[in-house]
Each structure stands twice: as structure tokens, then as C-alpha cells.
Amino acid sequence: MPLFHRKSSPTLLQDKIDLIDLAFSRFDLHSFADLGGVWGVEGGYTFHALEKHDVSAAALVDTHPTEVVKNRARKFAQLRLIKGNFGDETIAREVGDVDAVFLFDVLLHQVAPDWNRVLEIYSHQTRCFIIYNQQWIGSERTVRLLELGEEEYFKNVPHEPTDGPYNGLFQKLEEKHPDHDRRWRDVHHIWQWGITDSDLTATIESLGFKLEFTKNCGRMGDLANFENHAFVFSK
Ligand SMILES: C[S@@+](CC[C@H](N)C(=O)[O-])C[C@H]1O[C@@H](n2cnc3c(N)ncnc32)[C@H](O)[C@@H]1O
């Protein structure tokens, strides 16, 4: 059973809160960008960092900001809400330089640019990556989940073939998504990657960062091939 942080929101995971607190206290962080911080948590990790730490500038980026987030954001003059795809170079420029980048449950969704390119983009504008991701333990190498084929894909993701965006997914992969200027196969709404720890670590280390902290936060639901892993990298 995951532990939940009950003070600021019932849906925040204690492991992610602990990760933020550890990184802020150890690495003298005063600015951050929370990339993809909205769905299911209404910016909760952003607001936790703003309320608990000495933050002079913050950006919360998501394609789908909500009214709840917009209203709460008004209380924090140092917070910018940015609507858009954080993989776009223009959005990355808008985010600008920050001490830390949060990537919570988002790396596995990134395609075009892929997860490793997203890390490269932000490596030029941050000195600390704070990451919590569903990591692939099913094979030695990172896999693009769609390439497993429909049957294996649905054995490996926490969704039924009839759930929302997953409905008819393999039949519409080449069709354009109604909200994004890209095909269904490339949207971040679906599970895209099984990223291994060794590929994640090698990628970030090649960008000049050092692994400072890691924790295995346990099995991802009842999925045999995914575990929740937390990381802090700094340079
Ligand atoms: C699985 S939720 C994770 C929410 C939160 N970070 C957490 O830890 O619970 C993914 C969120 O990231 C957003 N997202 C994913 N990829 C994105 C991208 N490339 N650009 C902007 N938002 C993105 C989605 O819209 C959604 O709000």
C-alpha cells in the first residue's frame, strides 16, 4: 500500500514528498519546474514545494491545467503556470533556468521528443533532476511498449483496452489525435516506454549529472514488469 501525504492533499504520495524535501534540503534549491504536474494531483507537488521551501521562482507546465490549479496558483506570485507540451523547445525556453526539474510519472509517456531527449533539453537549464517513474524491469533494455504488440502491451500497462484513450488504440495508432498535432502513437496520454534504470542512469550521467539518491518504491500495482523508482541526480 502506498503511503499518502494527508496534510496538503489526500492524493500525494509520501515517497514523492520525501524526494522533494530531500533534494531541497541537500542541494540548496530555490527554483524549480514541475513538468506534467496536474493530472490526479492538481499541482500538489508544486504547492508542497512552494509552501514548505524557500522558493523564489517556479513553473508548473502541463497540456491540461485545471481551474483548481489556476485558482490555487494565484496565491503564489513566484509561480508561473505554463500551458503546453514541455517537450517543445519553445516551452522549455519559457520555463528557463531553474535549480531543479520534477519529472513525476511523466518520463514513460514522452515521445517526439522521446524521454531521453527531454532530459537532454532540460539538462542545459537545470542542475538537479528529481524523478519518480514507473521503471521497466522486464528486460535488460528499454522498450517502446507499443512495439510489444496489442496483447503484450495490455499485459504490461495498468489500463484495459476499453479505457478512455486506450479504446481501439491499436486500430487508431496512425490517426491524428483530436487535441494534438500528432498521431495517436505519439501522444503522452498513453503508456509509451518501459525505461530501465541502467538506461535512465546512463542517459543522465552522459549529460553531466551524478546519481545522488535512489529508492525502490515498490511494485506498480499488479504489473509484473514495472516498479516505482525514485531518483535525484545533480551536477
Ligand atoms: C500521470 S500524470 C502525473 C501527474 C503528477 N506529476 C503526479 O506525479 O501524480 C501526467 C501529467 O503530465 C502531463 N503531461 C505528460 N506529458 C506531458 C508533456 N509532454 N507536456 C505537458 N504535459 C504533459 C499530463 O497532462 C498529466 O497532467
Side-chain angles (χ1 to χ4, degrees), residues 119-189:
L119 291 167
E120 189 188 342
I121 293 169
Y122 285 92
S123 71
H124 301 297
Q125 49 194 80
T126 194
R127 58 182 173 85
C128 184
F129 282 113
I130 306 176
I131 296 174
Y132 185 102
N133 197 55
Q134 292 66 49
Q135 293 288 107
W136 179 253
I137 54 165
S139 58
E140 293 287 302
R141 301 312 314 260
T142 293
V143 292
R144 178 86 190 264
L145 297 168
L146 293 171
E147 287 170 7
L148 297 174
E150 188 165 6
E151 199 180 325
E152 280 302 306
Y153 180 86
F154 282 108
K155 274 189 206 156
N156 280 290
V157 301
H159 295 280
E160 295 298 322
T162 47
D163 287 352
Y166 294 89
N167 198 356
L169 179 63
F170 277 74
Q171 287 68 54
K172 62 188 180 190
L173 285 177
E174 304 307 326
E175 289 172 21
K176 203 161 170 190
H177 188 280
D179 300 338
H180 306 287
D181 188 20
R182 52 176 67 206
R183 297 171 301 172
W184 272 90
R185 66 162 56 252
D186 294 338
V187 295
H188 63 258
H189 302 292

Side-chain angles (χ1 to χ4, degrees), residues 201-214:
T201 303
T203 297
I204 304 190
E205 286 180 348
S206 76
L207 298 168
F209 289 73
K210 181 166 158 265
L211 179 61
E212 304 279 2
F213 174 84
T214 185

Side-chain angles (χ1 to χ4, degrees), residues 16 36-39 41 45 62-63 84-86 104-106 110 188:
K16 292 178 187 169
V38 171
W39 187 85
V41 292
Y45 300 106
D62 208 293
T63 47
N85 187 324
F86 60 72
F104 291 165
D105 300 1
V106 292
Q110 304 312 308
H188 63 258

